[in-house]
Amino acid sequence: MGTAGRRAAVSAAVVLALANASCTTSQQALSKNPSAVSTSALCRSYASTRDERFRDALYTELARRSVDARQCAEMIRKQNQAIAVGVAIAAVGAAVAVCSNNNCGGGGYSRPNYYQGADWDAFYNQYGQVVWACREIATGRFVDYGYCYGKAQTDWRWPAKYAY
């Protein structure tokens, strides 16, 4: 696995850990306002805590909401699947970004190899004045100035000053 693959895997693990951690609650939040805590956070906390008093308080609130342990387990499983799908999508997106920056090949449009771009050419017109034109490098044909936009107006490619 390359560096990019390791980074994507580490990123996915971090996202999964943060997603799971953000879906739990604390004893303080539960005792302060139990109805403000989501059922999902109650279930995740109930499944992960080792503190028996906190676990009893979570169980009491879950029972008040008519949620049992099987429903909690199913809810957690579905959420973990959704998180895993999100992480997989993010990993695929990261892989696509890495490949697009490193020319991994496959799919997509790329300019044909024969296209070499365009460059400026200075030459004399019929009145003996120097004029600038944009030429396609491969064919020497004159093309719209937009093809040379942003390029320095130099005449290194076609040094002769007479158009042909």
Side-chain angles (χ1 to χ4, degrees), residues 127-140:
Y127 305 109
Q129 301 165 320
V130 174
V131 294
W132 288 90
C134 185
R135 287 184 186 249
E136 193 173 56
I137 294 170
T139 64

Side-chain angles (χ1 to χ4, degrees), residues 16-146:
L16 187 58
L18 288 174
N20 283 335
S22 66
C23 294
T24 61
T25 190
S26 66
Q27 281 182 302
Q28 293 81 11
L30 182 62
S31 60
K32 183 177 179 180
N33 189 0
S35 60
V37 179
S38 71
T39 304
S40 171
L42 290 171
C43 285
R44 285 191 176 275
S45 297
Y46 182 77
S48 64
T49 190
R50 297 192 192 284
D51 182 338
E52 286 302 318
R53 286 186 7 179
F54 184 38
R55 190 176 177 92
D56 288 342
L58 291 164
Y59 181 81
T60 302
E61 182 60 24
L62 286 167
R64 189 185 69 73
R65 297 181 188 192
S66 301
V67 177
D68 66 22
R70 286 186 311 245
Q71 289 171 308
C72 275
E74 182 64 15
M75 183 183 302
I76 291 169
R77 186 185 66 74
K78 285 181 180 178
Q79 288 173 345
N80 287 348
Q81 284 176 340
I83 291 167
V85 167
V87 169
I89 290 170
V92 167
V96 167
V98 167
C99 275
S100 68
N101 291 330
N102 294 313
N103 194 20
C104 295
Y109 172 79
S110 63
R111 186 176 277 168
N113 289 337
Y114 58 82
Y115 183 79
Q116 299 173 11
D119 210 352
W120 288 108
D121 182 23
F123 56 90
Y124 295 110
N125 67 8
Q126 68 266 27
Y127 305 109
Q129 301 165 320
V130 174
V131 294
W132 288 90
C134 185
R135 287 184 186 249
E136 193 173 56
I137 294 170
T139 64
R141 290 183 316 187
F142 294 110
V143 294
D144 186 83
Y145 290 134

